[in-house]
Amino acid sequence: MINIGILGCGNIARTRHIPEYAANPDCRITAYYNPSRGKAEALARQYGGKVYDSAEELLADPSIDAVSVCTANDAHAALSVAAMKAGKHVLCEKPIACTIEEAQEMLHISEETGRLLMAGHNQRFLPAHREAKEYLNKGTIGKILSFRTTFGHGGPEMFMKVKDMNSWFFRKEKAAMGVMADLGVHKIDLIHYLTGERSMRVSAKLSTLDKCREDGSPISVDDNAVCLLEMESGAVGTVTASWTYYGQPDNSTVIYGSKGIMRLYDDPDHSLLIKLADGSLIAGRSGPMDFRAPSGVIDSWIESIKAGKVLESDGKSALDAMKTVFAAIRSSETGTSIEIH
Ligand SMILES: NC(=O)c1ccc[n+]([C@@H]2O[C@H](COP(=O)([O-])OP(=O)(O)OC[C@H]3O[C@@H](n4cnc5c(N)ncnc54)[C@H](O)[C@@H]3O)[C@@H](O)[C@H]2O)c1
C-alpha cells in the first residue's frame, strides 16, 4: 500500500487528486497540510488521514511514500525539492516551477535522490488525445505539417466558490505567470506528446487585456497568450491560451498532415475526427470531453511508483514544456523569436 501526503488542499486537490487517490486500491491518503488548517481537516474527515501543522512536519514522517504538490505556483518547486530530499516521490501540479532554474533544479534533485517526479499534465491522458496518438503513430494523416491548439475559458474565477479577483492566480508574486503557464503549458505539453517532438523556436505575444482586480487595476499576469511554435521536424503551429473566452470554453486541437486533417475536441459530434485527402472519414470512439471523469493522472502516477519509473509526463517532459513557456514570455518581452535549447 502506497501512503500519500497532500500538500495544498484547494480546488485541484479536492476535486481531482484526492478522489482519484481514494478510488485507487493500491494507495491511501495518510497526510494533509494546508496553511489554513480547516481545509485539510475537512478532507481528513471525509477521506481519513492525519493533518500536519507544517509541510516540514509532514515531509519528516517516514511512513509517507509520495506527495501531491497542489499549492499555489510559488511553492511548487521548493516543496517538490524538499519532498524528494526527504525521500518522497513527487507529483507536482503545473506549472511545475516559477523559473527555468527552479524547474532544472527539480529534475536534478530527482536524478540525484532517485525519487520520481511527475507533472500534472492531464491533457495527454484525455481519451481522444490517447486515441489521436495511436493514429499519428500509425501515420494515418501522414507527416505532421502544421497545427493549431487552444485552451481558453472565462478564467480561474469561474472555479472559485466566491469570485476573488485578488486571488493568487492574478498576482505575479504568487503565480509568477498567468494564462500562458496556467493553460498554455497544457497545450504545449500536448503538442509535444502528440508530435513526439520538442518545440525548437517560439514567437509569442502575451497580454493582459481584460482582467482587473477588485480595485479596477489590471491583474499583474497575462490573461491572453498567442504563440507560434516551430518543431524539430520543421512543422509549425499556433498555441493560444486565454482567460477571456467568456461564454464558451475552447479546448480544441487541429493537426494538419500530408494525408489529411485530424480534429480533436473541435467537432460538435466527435471528439476525434479525421478527414483524409481521399475524402474518407474516421470518427474516433472517445466520448465528449468530461472534466468530471477521472483524469487518469493519479492512476498513471501510482503505476509509476509501483514500476519505479515515471511512465508518462516525467520531469524531463515537464522541463521541455516549461522551457517553451519561458521562451514565449521572453519572446513577448523582447519582441523577438526565441530558440529553445
Ligand atoms: N492540472 C490541472 O488541470 C489543474 C487544474 C487546476 C489547478 N491546477 C494547478 O494546481 C495548483 C493549485 O490550484 P488550485 O486551483 O487548487 O488553487 P487553490 O487556491 O484552490 O488551492 C491552493 C491551495 O494551496 C494552499 N497553499 C498555498 N501555499 C501553500 C504552501 N506553501 N504549502 C501548502 N499549501 C499551500 C492554499 O492555502 C490553497 O488551499 C495550481 O498550481 C494550479 O495551476 C492544475
Side-chain angles (χ1 to χ4, degrees):
M1 185 62 73
I2 298 165
N3 290 334
I4 301 291
I6 307 289
L7 294 169
C9 298
N11 255 338
I12 194 70
R14 195 183 65 251
T15 58
R16 285 292 186 80
H17 288 240
I18 291 173
E20 293 185 27
Y21 280 126
N24 188 303
D26 295 324
C27 67
R28 63 181 171 204
I29 308 167
T30 59
Y32 307 81
Y33 169 65
N34 196 79
S36 43
R37 196 180 163 92
K39 284 188 185 177
E41 283 172 344
L43 291 167
R45 270 196 301 280
Q46 188 174 354
Y47 292 95
K50 182 179 158 189
V51 174
Y52 290 74
D53 288 325
S54 68
E56 293 72 26
E57 193 194 342
L58 185 155
L59 294 177
D61 183 338
S63 72
I64 299 166
D65 303 300
V67 294
S68 268
V69 175
C70 298
T71 66
N73 300 347
D74 65 330
H76 286 181
L79 285 177
S80 298
V81 165
M84 288 187 281
K85 285 185 174 171
K88 321 297 182 202
H89 303 299
V90 172
L91 167 59
C92 183
E93 264 308 335
K94 42 52 58 176
I96 60 162
C98 293
T99 64
I100 192 69
E101 291 77 17
E102 280 184 352
Q104 282 163 338
E105 168 80 349
M106 289 166 77
L107 201 58
H108 169 69
I109 295 296
S110 170
E111 284 161 3
E112 197 175 75
T113 59
R115 299 296 89 187
L116 306 181
L117 173 64
M118 178 178 172
H121 288 155
N122 49 297
Q123 286 267 333
R124 49 168 79 213
F125 294 97
L126 286 171
H129 293 159
R130 306 299 279 188
E131 219 183 328
K133 180 77 174 156
E134 288 171 26
Y135 282 111
L136 291 168
N137 285 350
K138 280 191 287 189
T140 306
I141 67 162
K143 180 175 164 28
I144 296 173
L145 302 174
S146 64
F147 57 85
R148 68 160 173 80
T149 186
T150 193
F151 192 177
H153 54 51
E157 68 270 34
M158 283 178 35
F159 305 101
M160 295 171 189
K161 280 187 194 149
V162 180
K163 181 177 167 182
D164 174 14
M165 295 309 291
N166 293 323
S167 155
W168 68 264
F169 274 101
F170 304 125
R171 289 188 282 126
K172 196 169 183 149
E173 71 277 13
K174 293 292 280 180
M177 301 157 280
V179 72
M180 182 67 220
D182 185 43
L183 304 184
V185 71
H186 275 305
K187 288 306 192 184
I188 288 168
D189 181 65
L190 177 67
I191 289 296
H192 287 179
Y193 165 71
L194 290 176
T195 62
E197 298 175 38
R198 288 189 304 115
S199 344
M200 301 307 287
R201 180 179 279 276
V202 59
S203 308
K205 174 69 182 165
L206 277 62
S207 314
T208 309
L209 299 176
D210 191 61
K211 297 272 180 227
C212 292
R213 296 199 198 167
E214 311 285 351
D215 67 4
S217 62
I219 60 169
S220 51
V221 294
D222 48 292
D223 63 16
N224 276 273
V226 177
C227 312
L228 171 65
L229 296 191
E230 294 175 42
M231 311 304 290
E232 286 169 291
S233 64
V236 290
T238 57
V239 175
T240 50
S242 177
W243 282 340
T244 64
Y245 288 1
Y246 300 121
Q248 176 146 28
D250 190 347
N251 208 327
S252 63
T253 300
V254 183
I255 302 186
Y256 303 88
S258 56
K259 295 184 192 165
I261 298 173
M262 172 185 274
R263 296 188 181 278
L264 299 166
Y265 299 110
D266 186 56
D267 180 89
D269 299 320
H270 302 285
S271 291
L272 183 156
L273 188 66
I274 296 172
K275 187 165 190 178
L276 295 174
D278 64 9
S280 55
L281 280 178
I282 302 171
R285 57 185 185 274
S286 310
M289 188 179 283
D290 178 5
F291 276 114
R292 285 160 308 177
S295 68
V297 171
I298 298 298
D299 286 348
S300 179
W301 173 228
I302 295 300
E303 285 310 305
S304 296
I305 295 172
K306 284 159 59 184
K309 65 173 183 187
V310 181
L311 302 173
E312 191 93 49
S313 192
D314 61 8
K316 166 80 173 61
S317 69
L319 179 62
D320 286 340
M322 289 311 295
K323 280 183 181 174
T324 310
V325 168
F326 292 119
I329 293 169
R330 202 142 52 85
S331 167
S332 185
E333 284 168 354
T334 59
T336 60
S337 76
I338 303 291
E339 267 190 50
I340 303 164
H341 300 285

